[in-house]
Amino acid sequence: MKASQHILPGIPKLPARFAPIVMPLLLSLLMSAIVSLISTIKAGGLAPGLLPRWLGAWGLSWSIAFPVLLLVLPVVRRITAMLVRAP
């Protein structure tokens, strides 16, 4: 079966050269969302106003997480290569 060249109908996939940005973007979005939600619940409980408090914390967390991830990912890849045998 041929792989689709679209993310959704009418929206083409990005060229492969964007992978080094897309992967840390998605990773930082997911990780910062999870960690900020846990921290927000721990700090204030499941109280009214959780969603806006969490979204504020998430925005701040992601604005830090994405650039940091772009900086440290090459270092982490090199360390991983030192610790793991090549296939």
Side-chain angles (χ1 to χ4, degrees):
M1 176 180 266
K2 183 179 176 188
S4 173
Q5 295 299 309
H6 290 85
I7 298 168
L8 294 171
I11 302 175
K13 288 185 177 182
L14 296 170
R17 70 178 184 271
F18 289 103
I21 297 296
V22 172
M23 194 275 296
L25 173 69
L26 296 175
L27 183 60
S28 65
L29 283 169
L30 292 171
M31 290 299 297
S32 63
I34 294 165
V35 171
S36 64
L37 179 61
I38 292 167
S39 296
T40 304
I41 291 172
K42 175 114 172 76
L46 293 172
L50 173 64
L51 184 61
R53 285 187 297 120
W54 170 55
L55 291 175
W58 185 11
L60 177 61
S61 298
W62 181 78
S63 69
I64 295 167
F66 183 52
V68 167
L69 195 52
L70 289 174
L71 291 172
V72 302
L73 196 55
V75 175
V76 171
R77 284 187 178 131
R78 282 194 293 274
I79 294 169
T80 300
M82 290 174 10
L83 298 172
V84 176
R85 277 187 235 151

